[in-house]
Amino acid sequence: MSTDCGNQRIGDKSIMEDNQSLNETSKLKVINHEVQSLQKQQRLTSLLPEYNKVQYLLLSDTTTNCAPLHLRNILSHFNESQLNQFDLLFILIYTVALESGYMCKSDHIQTMVSPLSSTSSFHSKNVERLSKLKPIFTVTPDKKKFTMKLNSVVDDRQVTAEKIYALLTATVCDDLMIVTLSPANCLNSGGFSTVLLISRYVLDEEKDVKLSFHRFCKMPELTTILRDKLFVPMRNKHLSWMQAHIYPSLDAMPVELYENLLQYLNKYELNSLAKVNWNLFNVTVRSKHYENLRKTDEHVRSVHRYNSPELCAARSIPCPNFANSTNIKEGKSHQ
């Protein structure tokens, strides 16, 4: 009897230990789950690490918490404590120029950049390399006029960079900055200009502001204005002067894409397309679809020419007359 009681006590004790271990395991799972949830929430709400904040960002992505790497590189060339609103806005304009396929005029940086085709204007490696060099520009003592010479980064196999430059000028008038981009003399054309409200994009200096980019605001708007009003139109002028295809354009599509599109056109539509310009003429007449239509048309014309009355008379054979042959067959059937 005592043995049975002892065995029962041992069994109850083991069951209690198992229950306790299960409770501890479940508690650990709950704690781990809560810790993971907390860590996930912290990752979502906390600031990005330094190397993630600045990589592959544009000026339009600038916030009070992070700024692009190339913008930080450019600002590092200056004593930020001595930069006023005019200086900072001109630096922002130069940053947009880098992102739009331009570089500061300098002879020793020609080998540092990779050439750009006419179908693109942004090259992350070019922007990063050029931002490590201090921009060269002139400014009046009162800091009311800034001047910089910009070169378009293009394919160096087509034209030398010295021939396609533009003069960037920024003039301060009260709270306004008049920005002008003038082409080189070889283009014989007008330039482009726009007016920026300085206080709209660069705030007044405050004591609590530690970094310059904390004073920047509405960067997407500034980027869009500068690109659409200045840098993209001027780059298009440079490309047109080079007789390069400006993308997007019907003249700048890949050859295989032309083949896919031309197969849906008949010969009359192909002839109309070939009359647009020399480029589309060459694309059209060299396409496989045009060649097949031409061969089919030549074959049909040769058959008609072979069965013409003149050739039939020369060969002393009756000219085929489908109407008579039909009547003959009908006559035979009546007989």
Side-chain angles (χ1 to χ4, degrees):
M1 190 72 179
S2 60
T3 305
D4 295 337
C5 292
N7 292 335
Q8 185 176 0
R9 290 175 182 174
I10 295 173
D12 294 340
K13 186 177 180 180
S14 61
I15 292 173
M16 291 176 62
E17 291 177 352
D18 292 340
N19 291 335
Q20 187 177 1
S21 62
L22 289 174
N23 291 334
E24 292 178 354
T25 304
S26 61
K27 288 181 180 179
L28 288 174
K29 289 183 178 179
V30 172
I31 293 174
N32 290 334
H33 180 70
E34 292 178 353
V35 171
Q36 291 176 0
S37 300
L38 183 61
Q39 290 177 350
K40 184 177 180 180
Q41 186 177 3
Q42 289 177 349
R43 284 197 301 269
L44 294 175
T45 57
S46 61
L47 297 178
L48 293 174
E50 189 71 17
Y51 63 91
N52 284 334
K53 286 197 303 184
V54 297
Q55 290 291 337
Y56 312 113
L57 296 180
L58 299 176
L59 180 64
S60 57
D61 301 315
T62 303
T63 64
T64 55
N65 294 326
C66 66
L69 177 61
H70 55 277
L71 177 58
R72 294 192 176 207
N73 290 339
I74 296 173
L75 290 172
S76 65
H77 300 303
F78 305 93
N79 186 354
E80 297 188 33
S81 62
Q82 298 179 357
L83 297 177
N84 57 23
Q85 286 179 290
F86 314 145
D87 299 323
L88 291 175
L89 185 55
F90 187 76
I91 290 174
L92 293 177
I93 295 172
Y94 171 67
T95 304
V96 179
L98 287 184
E99 296 177 358
S100 303
Y102 293 84
M103 63 181 180
C104 184
K105 173 67 177 175
S106 180
D107 296 332
H108 68 278
I109 63 175
Q110 298 292 333
T111 58
M112 293 181 58
V113 297
S114 301
L116 286 176
S117 64
S118 59
T119 60
S120 63
S121 60
F122 178 76
H123 193 292
S124 60
K125 295 298 182 183
N126 283 350
V127 173
E128 182 181 354
R129 293 168 190 156
L130 295 173
S131 66
K132 295 178 181 179
L133 300 175
K134 186 176 181 178
I136 302 174
F137 61 92
T138 59
V139 58
T140 57
D142 57 354
K143 293 192 175 182
K144 292 297 182 68
K145 185 175 182 180
F146 302 81
T147 306
M148 173 185 287
K149 199 171 185 179
L150 295 174
N151 278 59
S152 286
V153 182
V154 294
D155 191 348
D156 54 0
R157 294 170 298 180
Q158 297 177 350
V159 67
T160 57
E162 290 78 7
K163 294 182 180 180
I164 46 173
Y165 66 87
L167 188 65
L168 177 65
T169 305
T171 306
V172 178
C173 182
D174 293 333
D175 196 30
L176 299 177
M177 179 174 282
I178 305 171
V179 187
T180 304
L181 193 62
S182 305
N185 295 330
C186 61
L187 296 183
N188 295 322
S189 61
F192 305 93
S193 62
T194 187
V195 179
L196 303 175
L197 185 62
I198 299 173
S199 59
R200 182 176 178 84
Y201 306 108
V202 182
L203 302 177
D204 291 333
E205 188 175 1
E206 298 178 0
K207 295 181 180 180
D208 298 335
V209 176
K210 297 181 180 179
L211 298 174
S212 296
F213 64 84
H214 292 168
R215 301 167 58 185
F216 301 155
C217 55
K218 300 184 183 298
M219 290 298 98
E221 177 183 302
L222 177 65
T223 301
T224 303
I225 292 175
L226 293 174
R227 285 181 60 87
D228 293 348
K229 298 289 180 126
L230 299 180
F231 298 120
V232 172
M234 182 59 68
R235 183 171 176 82
N236 289 344
K237 276 196 174 185
H238 287 164
L239 295 174
S240 298
W241 182 78
M242 295 165 50
Q243 297 182 350
H245 302 308
I246 302 174
Y247 184 85
S249 170
L250 188 62
D251 293 335
M253 293 191 299
V255 178
E256 57 272 12
L257 189 56
Y258 282 116
E259 292 289 346
N260 292 334
L261 294 177
L262 296 182
Q263 64 180 336
Y264 299 102
L265 304 181
N266 56 37
K267 64 178 182 179
Y268 303 105
E269 294 169 337
L270 289 174
N271 290 334
S272 300
L273 181 63
K275 294 177 182 179
V276 174
N277 54 41
W278 280 110
N279 180 61
L280 292 178
F281 173 81
N282 293 327
V283 169
T284 303
V285 299
R286 293 174 182 175
S287 64
K288 295 180 181 179
H289 179 58
Y290 185 87
E291 185 67 20
N292 293 335
L293 289 178
R294 188 183 63 80
K295 290 181 179 180
T296 302
D297 194 37
E298 288 181 355
H299 176 71
V300 172
R301 282 185 292 181
S302 64
V303 170
H304 285 295
R305 196 164 50 245
Y306 181 80
N307 293 329
S308 63
E310 293 81 2
L311 290 179
C312 290
R315 296 196 303 269
S316 300
I317 60 175
C319 178
N321 191 330
F322 297 104
N324 294 337
S325 62
T326 304
N327 295 332
I328 293 173
K329 289 182 180 179
E330 291 178 354
K332 288 183 178 179
S333 62
H334 288 304
Q335 291 178 358

